[in-house]
């Protein structure tokens, strides 16, 4: 019988007690005396060795990056975080940060092995970990904007918490880092950028890739800066003092820690010459700590660490492979109840409707805020959608630097902290700069971690017919509809666009792109003779963001159009009805992703001819997906699609109008279909 | 030379502005720099000034009108009597080519009736629906029936390459064509058969004949009656599938296939479940007689909820019937061979499973 005798069995690995104490939130309490530091650092080091050993035995799922040699560097800042609101954002080399924050050795080892007991259920592996306010991700510098957003949220609610964002020195080459440092400075938020300077990035020496000075980078942005070495006495206290100063001053800082990587970048990729490695090992800070302790104490600490990690390994090996039960088909959170009613602006156009929705949102929901370029009065945004808002809601309508990726990241951070940010990107063409933030971050957190929600709305004016040329005229929905977990809304003047925006912000807690065609701003909002199609039961968001239809119930042809294409499709329908004597139906979705498949099939499957029209560069885009949907559903009528050819959109109006589908092109395409 | 004053751009992103007011009158003398009027976009108002000295000749835009940026707002002249220049002819928009010579709908009609467009006399230069309908009427083709509401979309059928004559279908043939389409597109057909001993059934029919003093043993009507009885106890076999639900009929309308000359009918005895065996045999006899003389009433030619088909007459030993529209079960009776016979059923798998069909067939395989 296993028994009653062990008083510490509960919170331990297979009956072996953890050789450290934890605080109320489970965070290890690591003292600053040499024995305590040596004990925890040894646990981290032996865990890394265990992981490499498991790797060699083929038991690790995917890749891993250990922090051998950098244990103290990784512990120092994290161990000093003692406020429940403190956040840590880390990168690929995160085991030391994670273990110092969570103390969950079993969860980490099982996670890296792809076992069910893994701290992230097998989603994260080595480099995507989440635990309370700890998040790591595998895109270098990808989390730096998010950290600024989290810190802004802390500042807004007067918390004394701070955000620590860790990067390696190789990551000083990433542009987003500088957007983030600048934003942190402009907003004066308590975020500490920690640069772990080990002199190397994967296999490339930083000296070959870095121009200028590291600390001067922080200073140039007005950050408080510090530089310390984990090989120097007093390092742990110095790092703790930096944390205390950031907490006290409530403004951003940059801490550079000189450290040394003893192991490979990942596994088997250490190409440095043996002399260099020997020199690093000679300066090993753990060896220095051990040297200050009596030999028997060192031996005792090593023995207790080994016993504990053997138990960790046994338990991780006993955990079955992670499995989905059931396999998730999507990562969208359902629509929430409770609505802010946005009154329709009498005789108003789309611009007025959106402006009124933003007024309504800011007035009714204190968690909402607007972030974007040139939003402030009297300018009120490039298309005047935010006119009057900065005057009425000071502090919640924020004009930002020209940093599309940075402000999108900040939006994600604010959203993760419970705010409901609305980010405006001045021209949808620039969404390409936000793509990593949406594709690798906004949609990943809710998809991987059940407790993470990212209720972010990114608004952007899109579309051409104004002669703005190749980089200010595009309709990029085709790129974004394929991002798993991203909602793409592109309404028209026929939809209740203000209400749609309000619902996207308050009732749809999923990262959402909200596209607005520039030419629709001046169009009068009018539902005209459109009716709402019944939403398919399985269509996520379809009831909240309805698809409309108008026209003949027994049409000769159905035009499917959305967003800025709708007025054009309507003009074409008129020509087809009057000049070609055809019965025409228009189906107009506002929700493009997740595509309301059932709703569309119910409306389209028995139609004899369907033309899908869009303004986007449409190969591989929305129309392609709709045509594939119909083909997969055994639709056997005639089908065609019309969009913009894969060429840059010209500035000259005469050229542009020949490129973008107009009513004549739609009429011609319909005639071809007959 | 008259000088135009153009509608100015106020905001980079607005192509249209509202003309608010004019501060001058036609004929008035203005000097360069003088304010002549105002325009407005959302929230911003801009004064419009005269670029040169001159006389106001007239306005092109009007107050409260939405005007295109860059269009002419008003004209100034060197003298008050100068004429306003003619508006230049609008540049033709190459994208709006004239309408096609055949309207789209007319094209669809022509295709439906296999008529070539050059056979049709245009109206006002275009072949319209009206023009096609005129042609159809004068050529004895059916007047343009409204397009079938069930627009089950099918690609245009390819025409055979070998020349031949198209023969129109009779009503029953069209009915069968529709049945086959329903069977293919709307049902999930299955077929099951069991072996059975036909002797007890033959004996039962003979006894019935004797008892009622009939000319012939009514084997098939009695088997059909048995089907009605089984349908009464198993409502599933007297059902169909609509809108993702099983739809169990409130009456048993037994459809019975009968070949009369070249026509194949599905003759229907409605509400058969309220009859008794004798009543049903008589009712079916009446319906079959009318079918044989092509005199079926409308109500007897439609509305079957369950079907019975026998190919015994042709000595066929097995056949798989096509399910009539909105039925889920059709019994297949065939000729016996060496004292054994098969009893089969086509069925809609969405309504019935194999086990249920076998259970029904077992019941049907003996007269009691
Ligand atoms: C955006 C991006 N580019 C490239 C990589 C691949 N990569 C992973 S770690 C790494 C080196 C990072 O070096 P550094 O920032 O110095 O961190 P260290 O590994 O030294 O801790 C590279 C290139 C990545 N994960 N993300
Ligand atoms: Mg490095």
């Amino acid at each position: 019988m296993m028994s009653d005798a062990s008083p510490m069995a509960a919170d331990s690995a297979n009956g072996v007690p953890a050789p450290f104490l934890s605080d109320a939130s489970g965070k290890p309490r690591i003292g600053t005396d040499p024995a305590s530091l040596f004990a925890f650092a040894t646990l981290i080091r032996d865990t890394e060795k265990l992981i490499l050993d498991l790797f060699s035995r083929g038991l690790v799922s995917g890749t891993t990056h250990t922090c051998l040699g950098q244990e103290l560097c990784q512990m120092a800042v994290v161990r000093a975080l003692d406020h429940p609101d403190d956040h840590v954002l880390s990168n690929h080399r995160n085991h030391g940060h994670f273990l110092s924050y969570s103390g969950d050795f079993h969860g980490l080892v099982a996670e890296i092995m792809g076992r069910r007991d893994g701290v992230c259920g097998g989603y994260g592996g080595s480099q995507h970990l989440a635990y309370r306010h700890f998040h790591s991700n595998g895109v270098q510098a990808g989390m730096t904007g998010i950290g600024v957003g989290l810190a802004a949220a802390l500042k807004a609610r007067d918390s004394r918490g701070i955000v620590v964002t860790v990067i390696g020195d190789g990551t000083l080459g990433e542009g987003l880092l500088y957007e983030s440092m600048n934003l942190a400075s402009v907003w004066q938020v308590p975020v500490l950028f920690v640069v772990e300077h080990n002199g190397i990035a994967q296999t490339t020496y930083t000296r070959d890739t870095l121009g200028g000075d590291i600390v001067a980078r922080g200073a140039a942005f007005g950050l408080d800066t510090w530089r310390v070495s984990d090989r120097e006495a007093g390092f742990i206290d110095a790092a703790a003092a930096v944390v205390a100063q950031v907490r006290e001053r409530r403004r951003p800082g940059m801490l550079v820690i000189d450290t040394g990587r003893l192991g490979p970048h990942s596994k088997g990729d250490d190409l440095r010459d043996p002399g260099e490695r020997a020199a690093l090992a000679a300066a090993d800070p753990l060896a220095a700590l051990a040297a200050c302790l009596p030999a028997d104490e060192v031996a005792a600490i090593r023995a207790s660490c080994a016993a504990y990690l053997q138990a960790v390994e046994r338990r991780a090996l006993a955990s079955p492979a992670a499995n989905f039960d059931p396999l998730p088909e999507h990562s969208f959170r359902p629509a929430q109840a409770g609505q802010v009613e946005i009154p329709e602006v009498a005789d108003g156009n789309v611009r007025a409707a959106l402006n009124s929705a933003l007024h309504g949102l800011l007035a009714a929901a204190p968690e909402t805020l607007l972030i974007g370029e040139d939003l402030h009065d009297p300018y009120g945004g490039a298309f005047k959608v935010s006119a009057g808002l900065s005057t009425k809601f000071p502090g919640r309508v924020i004009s930002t630097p020209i940093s599309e990726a940075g402000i999108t990241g900040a939006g994600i951070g604010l959203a993760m902290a419970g705010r409901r940010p609305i980010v405006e990107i001045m021209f949808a063409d620039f969404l390409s700069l936000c793509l990593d933030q949406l594709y690798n971050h906004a949609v990943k957190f809710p998809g991987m971690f059940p407790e993470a929600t990212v209720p972010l709305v990114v608004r952007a004016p899109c579309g051409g017919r104004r002669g703005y040329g190749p980089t200010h005229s595009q309709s990029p929905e085709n790129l974004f509809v394929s991002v798993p977990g991203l909602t793409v809304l592109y309404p028209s003047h026929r939809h209740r666009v203000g209400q749609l925006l309000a619902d996207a912000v308050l009732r749809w807690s999923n990262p959402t792109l909200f596209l607005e065609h520039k030419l629709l701003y001046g169009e009068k909002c009018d539902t005209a003779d459109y009716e709402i199609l019944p939403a398919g039961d399985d269509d996520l968001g379809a009831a909240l963001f309805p698809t409309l239809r108008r026209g003949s119930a027994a049409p000769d042809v159905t035009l499917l159009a959305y967003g800025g294409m709708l007025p054009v499709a309507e003009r074409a329908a008129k020509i087809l009805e009057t000049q070609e004597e055809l019965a025409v139906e228009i189906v107009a979705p506002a929700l493009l992703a997740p595509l309301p498949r059932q709703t569309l099939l119910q409306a389209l499957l028995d139609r004899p001819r369907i033309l899908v029209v869009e303004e986007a560069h449409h190969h591989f885009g929305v129309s392609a997906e709709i045509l594939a949907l119909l083909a997969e559903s055994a639709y056997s009528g005639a089908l065609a699609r019309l969009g913009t050819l894969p060429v840059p959109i010209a500035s000259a109006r005469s050229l542009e109008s020949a490129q973008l589908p107009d009513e004549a092109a739609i009429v011609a395409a319909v005639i071809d279909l007959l | 030379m008259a000088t135009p004053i153009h509608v100015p751009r106020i905001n980079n992103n607005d192509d249209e502005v509202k003309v608010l007011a004019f501060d001058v009158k036609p004929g008035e003398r203005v000097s360069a720099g003088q304010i002549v009027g105002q325009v407005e976009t959302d929230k911003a108002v801009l004064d419009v000034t005269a670029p040169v000295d001159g006389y106001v000749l007239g306005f092109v835009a009007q107050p409260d009108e939405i005007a295109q940026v860059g269009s002419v707002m008003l004209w100034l002249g060197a003298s008050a009597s100068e004429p306003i220049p003619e508006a230049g002819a609008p540049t033709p928009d190459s994208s709006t080519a004239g309408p096609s010579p055949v309207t789209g709908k007319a094209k669809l009609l022509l295709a439906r009736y296999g008529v070539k467009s050059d056979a049709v006399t245009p109206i006002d230069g275009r072949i319209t629906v009206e023009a096609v309908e005129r042609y159809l009427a004068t050529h004895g083709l059916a007047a343009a029936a409204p397009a079938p509401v069930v627009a089950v979309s099918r690609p245009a059928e390819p025409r055979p390459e070998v020349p031949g004559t198209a023969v129109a279908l009779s009503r029953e043939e069209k009915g069968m064509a529709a049945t086959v389409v329903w069977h293919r597109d709307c049902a999930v057909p299955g077929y099951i058969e069991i072996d059975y001993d036909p002797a007890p059934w033959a004996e039962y029919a003979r006894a019935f004949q004797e008892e009622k003093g009939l000319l012939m043993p009514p084997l098939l009507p009695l088997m059909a009656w048995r089907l009605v009885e089984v349908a009464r106890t198993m409502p599933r076999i007297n059902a169909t599938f609509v809108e993702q639900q099983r739809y169990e009929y409130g009456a048993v309308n037994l459809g019975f296939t009968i070949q009369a000359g070249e026509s194949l009918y599905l003759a229907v005895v409605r509400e058969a479940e309220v009859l008794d065996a004798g009543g049903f045999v008589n009712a079916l006899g009446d319906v079959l007689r009318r079918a044989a003389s092509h005199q079926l009433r409308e109500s007897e030619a439609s509305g079957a909820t369950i079907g019975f088909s026998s190919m015994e007459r042709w000595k066929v030993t097995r056949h798989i019937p096509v399910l009539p529209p909105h039925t889920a079960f059709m019994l297949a009776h065939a000729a016996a061979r060496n004292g054994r016979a098969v009893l089969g059923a086509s069925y809609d798998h969405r309504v019935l499973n194999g086990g249920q069909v076998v259970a029904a067939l077992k019941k049907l395989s003996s007269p009691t």
Side-chain angles (χ1 to χ4, degrees):
Chain A
M1 287 276 303
M2 290 258 323
S3 157
D4 40 26
S6 162
M8 296 149 140
D11 185 38
S12 59
N14 271 1
V16 179
F20 55 86
L21 297 172
S22 301
D23 70 12
S25 54
K27 186 165 181 287
R29 276 197 218 139
I30 307 168
T32 55
D33 58 293
S36 300
L37 292 171
F38 179 70
F40 204 84
T42 303
L43 263 186
I44 295 177
R45 176 164 296 185
D46 289 357
T47 303
E48 299 291 39
K49 287 181 177 163
L50 169 62
I51 289 167
L52 287 179
D53 180 50
L54 292 166
F55 195 111
S56 309
R57 285 147 62 197
L59 290 168
V60 164
S61 183
T63 187
T64 192
H65 309 92
T66 64
C67 66
L68 293 171
Q70 300 183 202
E71 296 86 355
L72 282 189
C73 162
Q74 296 221 327
M75 279 163 59
V77 171
V78 178
R79 68 155 286 288
L81 299 174
D82 55 4
H83 192 281
D85 287 348
D86 286 340
H87 286 65
V88 177
L89 302 184
S90 175
N91 57 4
H92 60 295
R93 200 175 304 289
N94 60 26
H95 302 166
H97 309 134
F98 175 81
L99 293 172
S100 306
Y101 188 86
S102 71
D104 191 359
F105 289 77
H106 170 61
L108 176 70
V109 173
E111 181 65 32
I112 293 173
M113 292 172 72
R115 302 303 173 104
R116 196 169 64 192
D117 287 358
V119 61
C120 297
Y123 251 123
S126 168
Q127 48 183 344
H128 317 89
L129 300 175
Y131 183 96
R132 285 187 53 236
H133 298 317
F134 180 98
H135 273 282
S136 63
N137 192 300
V139 179
Q140 301 310 320
M143 306 266 277
T144 54
I146 296 173
V148 174
L150 288 168
L154 290 177
K155 175 176 175 174
R157 59 171 219 261
D158 275 338
S159 165
R160 294 213 16 105
I162 70 167
V163 177
V164 169
T165 303
V166 190
I167 58 162
D169 50 346
T171 301
L172 292 165
E174 287 289 358
L176 176 60
L177 173 64
Y178 303 101
E179 292 188 17
S180 304
M181 295 204 307
N182 186 49
L183 269 178
S185 177
V186 170
W187 290 350
Q188 286 294 293
V189 292
V191 57
L192 177 64
F193 297 91
V194 176
V195 182
E196 296 185 337
H197 178 237
N198 57 12
I200 192 161
Q202 203 147 333
T203 61
T204 306
Y205 290 105
T206 318
R207 60 173 183 261
D208 297 333
T209 57
L210 192 78
D213 182 78
I214 299 179
V215 176
R217 284 168 158 74
F221 287 105
L223 271 51
D224 296 331
T225 56
W226 301 269
R227 183 165 193 155
V228 293
S229 164
D230 66 1
R231 273 122 179 92
E232 272 164 24
F235 162 65
I236 293 289
D237 292 331
V242 168
V243 167
Q245 285 177 64
V246 174
R247 194 185 303 292
E248 201 47 47
R249 297 176 183 171
R250 320 279 336 129
R251 59 176 199 237
M254 179 200 224
L255 169 65
V256 180
I257 304 178
D258 296 316
T259 181
R261 194 188 84 195
L262 287 187
H265 168 67
S266 173
K267 171 81 183 165
D269 53 5
D270 198 345
L271 310 175
R272 294 172 295 184
D273 79 52
E276 183 184 350
R277 274 150 59 186
L280 281 169
D284 177 8
L286 253 68
L289 273 178
C292 347
L293 296 171
D296 56 346
E297 190 174 359
V298 169
I301 288 173
R302 288 201 168 124
S304 86
C305 287
Y308 181 65
L309 289 176
Q310 271 166 21
V312 165
E313 179 186 1
R314 262 200 314 278
R315 213 171 128 208
L317 280 168
S319 173
N323 73 322
F324 287 122
D325 187 27
L327 189 65
E329 288 176 13
H330 64 83
S331 57
F332 293 101
R333 306 285 145 82
Q336 283 171 254
Q339 191 178 40
V340 168
E341 267 299 331
I342 300 300
E344 277 169 66
V345 189
D347 262 353
N349 58 19
V350 167
R351 183 195 333 264
L354 292 170
N355 183 265
S356 146
L358 293 173
H359 267 279
L361 282 166
L362 287 165
E367 67 273 31
T368 53
L369 71 166
L370 249 59
I371 308 173
E373 294 157 21
D374 296 283
L375 301 187
H376 54 277
D377 292 327
Y379 187 62
F383 292 90
K384 307 287 168 265
V385 175
S386 59
L389 295 172
S390 69
T391 312
K392 194 153 163 206
F393 303 98
R396 288 171 62 203
V397 179
I398 301 160
S399 287
T400 67
I402 306 171
S403 304
E404 285 75 14
I407 61 176
T408 304
I412 296 170
L414 284 159
M416 288 172 78
R419 305 295 301 268
R420 292 196 174 250
I422 304 159
V423 173
E424 175 175 308
I425 300 298
M426 195 185 275
F427 283 84
D429 310 68
F430 313 151
L431 284 166
S432 57
L433 296 162
C434 316
L435 184 58
D436 172 64
Q437 289 302 301
L438 297 173
Y439 183 61
N440 279 320
H441 297 85
V443 297
K444 291 294 186 282
F445 299 117
M448 295 194 294
F449 313 124
E451 70 284 0
T453 41
V454 181
L456 165 74
V457 172
V458 177
R459 292 180 37 244
C462 65
R465 306 187 204 278
R466 301 191 55 95
Y468 283 177
T471 62
H472 288 63
S473 305
Q474 299 169 94
S475 302
E477 69 270 15
N478 57 326
L479 296 179
F480 290 89
V481 286
S482 63
V483 173
L486 185 67
T487 301
V488 180
L489 283 167
Y490 189 179
S492 73
H493 61 310
R494 300 305 187 193
H495 296 89
R496 292 193 56 201
V497 7
Q499 190 63 54
L500 248 54
L501 177 61
D503 288 341
V505 171
L506 289 186
R507 299 186 56 198
W508 190 246
S509 295
N510 300 289
T512 299
L513 177 61
F514 193 96
L515 292 169
E516 302 159 7
H517 197 288
K518 298 170 193 111
L519 286 199
L520 285 180
Y521 285 135
E523 257 337 295
K524 194 173 145 211
C525 288
D526 180 5
T527 45
D529 57 344
Y530 283 82
E531 59 195 15
I532 292 178
L533 283 176
D537 291 340
D538 295 340
D539 288 342
L540 297 154
L544 199 57
F545 309 119
T547 299
L548 308 179
R549 78 162 287 285
R550 68 155 286 281
S552 170
D556 295 311
V557 65
T558 300
L559 301 179
L560 193 150
Y562 58 86
M565 206 62 201
L566 207 54
V568 186
E570 287 178 0
R571 292 197 292 272
K574 190 148 216 169
I575 297 173
L576 290 167
E577 283 162 352
T578 55
Q579 294 184 17
E580 301 296 333
E581 306 180 286
L582 290 167
V584 184
E585 174 188 46
I586 297 180
V587 172
L591 176 63
L592 302 183
L595 189 65
R597 292 171 192 274
Q598 240 188 315
T599 312
L600 290 177
L601 282 179
Q602 282 164 11
L604 296 177
L605 212 45
D606 69 347
R607 296 313 197 209
R609 290 165 207 90
I610 302 170
L611 177 69
V612 184
V613 282
E614 57 191 333
E615 198 183 302
H617 287 118
H618 69 317
H619 292 170
F620 302 98
V622 175
S623 64
E625 185 61 29
I626 292 173
L627 263 59
L629 168 72
L630 287 164
E632 286 170 343
S633 310
Y635 177 77
S636 51
L639 269 181
R641 61 188 171 131
L642 192 61
T644 297
L645 291 173
V647 291
I649 298 173
S651 277
R653 293 284 180 112
S654 54
L655 300 178
E656 184 190 37
S657 68
Q659 287 178 316
L660 303 183
D662 59 4
E663 49 267 44
I666 296 176
V667 169
V670 167
I671 298 293
D672 276 352
L673 206 52
L674 298 177
Chain B
M1 254 286 286
T3 309
I5 300 184
H6 293 285
V7 175
R9 185 178 288 282
I10 298 183
N11 169 3
N12 192 20
N13 294 320
D14 276 309
D15 281 352
E16 288 174 335
V17 300
K18 189 163 148 191
V19 176
L20 266 193
F22 290 109
D23 298 345
V24 292
K25 286 192 281 299
E28 191 175 324
R29 194 187 148 70
V30 297
S31 43
Q34 181 180 336
I35 294 171
V36 295
Q38 288 84 30
V39 293
E40 177 195 60
T41 58
D42 291 1
K43 301 281 173 312
V45 176
L46 192 80
D47 287 329
V48 180
T49 53
V52 293
D53 295 346
Y55 292 87
V56 176
L57 299 180
F59 304 129
V60 179
Q62 296 303 323
D64 279 344
E65 205 176 87
I66 301 293
Q68 205 64 28
V69 169
S71 65
V72 178
M73 196 169 150
L74 69 156
W75 287 98
L76 298 181
S79 73
S81 57
E82 202 175 316
I84 293 181
E86 293 269 325
T91 38
D93 185 346
S94 60
S95 62
T96 47
S100 52
V102 184
T103 74
K105 187 72 174 197
K107 210 167 146 186
L108 292 178
L109 278 179
L110 291 172
R112 189 185 309 155
Y113 289 96
V115 176
K116 291 233 164 61
S117 63
D118 49 16
V120 178
T121 315
I123 297 176
D124 293 337
R126 288 190 90 198
I127 296 176
T128 59
V129 171
E130 193 188 342
V132 177
E133 278 174 348
R134 272 191 208 163
Y135 174 89
L136 294 176
T138 53
H139 288 73
L141 290 159
V149 180
V150 256
V152 173
S153 35
R154 255 182 297 151
E157 275 176 61
R159 303 284 302 175
E161 283 169 357
V162 181
T165 318
V167 181
L169 298 183
S170 70
R171 202 170 68 134
E172 289 72 43
E173 286 166 334
K174 280 189 188 149
M176 181 49 79
T179 298
V180 172
V181 169
W182 181 86
H183 182 92
R184 182 199 66 194
D185 287 343
C186 299
V188 182
Y191 174 77
I192 287 179
E193 67 181 17
I194 60 169
D195 266 300
Y196 78 113
D197 177 5
W201 259 119
E203 184 45 44
Y204 179 77
R206 228 181 338 269
F208 193 92
Q209 174 197 12
E210 251 173 55
E211 192 202 324
K212 304 278 173 181
L214 305 176
L215 268 162
M216 301 238 297
L219 174 67
L220 297 184
L222 284 173
M223 291 184 92
W225 168 244
R226 181 95 178 104
L227 180 57
V228 173
E229 283 184 323
V230 173
R232 263 199 314 226
T233 56
M234 292 180 71
R236 270 175 182 278
I237 67 168
N238 186 54
T240 188
F241 194 78
V242 213
E243 295 179 346
Q244 302 304 309
Q245 287 181 315
R246 186 173 67 246
Y247 184 93
E248 298 183 353
Y249 286 109
V252 181
N253 295 352
L254 184 112
F256 193 104
T257 53
I258 167 168
Q259 181 85 37
E262 285 304 306
S263 301
L264 176 68
Y265 293 106
L266 185 72
V268 178
V269 177
R270 289 194 177 231
E271 296 181 22
E273 82 280 13
V274 302
L275 303 173
D276 60 15
F280 177 80
V281 170
N282 287 339
L284 181 60
D286 288 345
V287 170
L288 295 182
R289 259 190 305 282
R290 278 195 288 277
S293 54
H294 306 288
Q295 308 270 301
L296 272 187
R297 298 166 188 157
E298 192 56 50
S299 67
E300 296 164 337
S302 66
T305 61
I306 191 163
F308 185 106
S309 162
S310 173
M311 296 282 280
E312 183 185 40
R313 219 178 110 188
W314 287 274
K315 302 280 178 280
V316 167
T317 52
R318 159 185 293 156
H319 74 292
I320 302 177
V322 173
L323 278 175
H326 292 304
T327 65
F329 188 98
M330 183 145 197
L331 187 66
H333 173 258
R337 189 158 59 184
N338 306 328
R340 298 296 296 177
V342 297
L343 206 53
S346 296
Y347 63 100
D348 187 337
H349 217 311
R350 300 170 305 172
V351 178
L352 291 163
N353 63 36
Q356 290 158 343
V357 174
V358 170
L361 288 173
K362 287 241 170 78
K363 288 189 181 161
L364 291 163
S365 66
S366 78
T368 45

